[in-house]
Amino acid sequence: RNYGNYLNNLKEPTPMLVFRLDGDHQAFLDIDFDLTFSIFDKLMGGRGLPPKDDSRNYLTDLERAILRRPLSRILGSYGQAWQEFKPVEPQWESLELNPNAVYLYPPTENMVVTAFQIDVGTTQGILNVVVPARYLKASIPRSSYDEFILTRGGGASARQLASVTPIFATKIGGAKVPVAMSLGRAELLFR
């Protein structure tokens, strides 16, 4: 997607975690505001609910400070996902709420957007990872990048797709995904 158009389509406020990939490239995560607030509520012992007041459109300095730890863990996971291709240690730069205040690239820069649906408590939301296409092209080995373009383009033959699909299936099959389970919960009185 085009960087300028993407930012123009984001609502204000949209929490945006800006991070550095390397010396030349920056990227960001944008998260639904209600989801961000639900993460904060869950961290503070709540049920993971969005803000009660629909007019709430800000995060206090304390809320930002508390959110830094889980968002930093997300950045760490992003770096681990790249281990196979290139060592990446994303560096936190800022947490912004106004998309129009984030000027990382020219408006015509092509960006790759990867969306994840996240459930926290009773709140569902989207977390997008937005990375410049030129960074991906330079980081992914040529053969893998060509396979990706081949599978995305409409001109691939069935034979070509058959030879590429198992490669992606094995890479996805080996992905490590942390899972947490709660078997029960109770509140006890001190009497």
Side-chain angles (χ1 to χ4, degrees):
R1 286 180 117 179
N2 181 293
Y3 178 68
N5 289 340
Y6 184 79
L7 287 183
N8 289 336
N9 288 327
L10 293 176
K11 298 186 293 189
E12 189 179 339
T14 296
M16 296 176 67
L17 169 54
V18 179
F19 61 96
R20 183 161 296 282
L21 293 164
D22 59 25
D24 298 326
H25 298 97
Q26 292 176 292
F28 63 89
L29 304 172
D30 68 78
I31 311 165
D32 289 340
F33 183 80
D34 286 352
L35 179 63
T36 305
F37 196 86
S38 294
I39 292 170
F40 173 77
D41 186 51
K42 194 73 167 163
L43 288 171
M44 299 308 292
R47 294 185 297 165
L49 299 174
K52 294 176 183 171
D53 183 6
D54 287 341
S55 67
R56 171 91 189 257
N57 62 357
Y58 62 90
L59 293 172
T60 65
D61 290 340
L62 178 62
E63 290 166 342
R64 286 176 185 236
I66 291 171
L67 285 167
R68 184 171 179 132
R69 186 169 186 179
L71 295 177
S72 293
R73 291 182 70 187
I74 291 171
L75 279 185
S77 296
Y78 180 80
Q80 289 175 351
W82 275 94
Q83 284 179 346
E84 184 177 335
F85 295 112
K86 176 182 181 177
V88 175
E89 291 186 33
Q91 300 298 313
W92 178 292
E93 293 217 338
S94 65
L95 179 62
E96 304 291 337
L97 290 176
N98 181 357
N100 294 319
V102 179
Y103 297 104
L104 303 179
Y105 295 101
T108 58
E109 181 79 23
N110 287 326
M111 305 298 280
V112 176
V113 179
T114 307
F116 299 91
Q117 180 175 329
I118 298 181
D119 300 326
V120 175
T122 59
T123 306
Q124 289 185 339
I126 301 293
L127 178 143
N128 294 308
V129 180
V130 184
V131 179
R134 64 183 156 146
Y135 175 78
L136 293 178
K137 187 172 184 178
S139 299
I140 297 174
R142 181 76 182 156
S143 61
S144 296
Y145 186 78
D146 289 343
E147 290 168 0
F148 174 74
I149 296 302
L150 178 66
T151 59
R152 299 291 291 172
S157 69
R159 184 171 176 239
Q160 289 171 320
L161 288 175
S163 68
V164 172
T165 304
I167 294 169
F168 283 108
T170 57
K171 292 185 189 292
I172 291 172
K176 294 181 181 178
V177 179
V179 176
M181 182 186 308
S182 175
L183 297 176
R185 183 176 292 176
E187 293 183 18
L188 302 174
L189 300 174
F190 279 102
R191 289 191 211 166

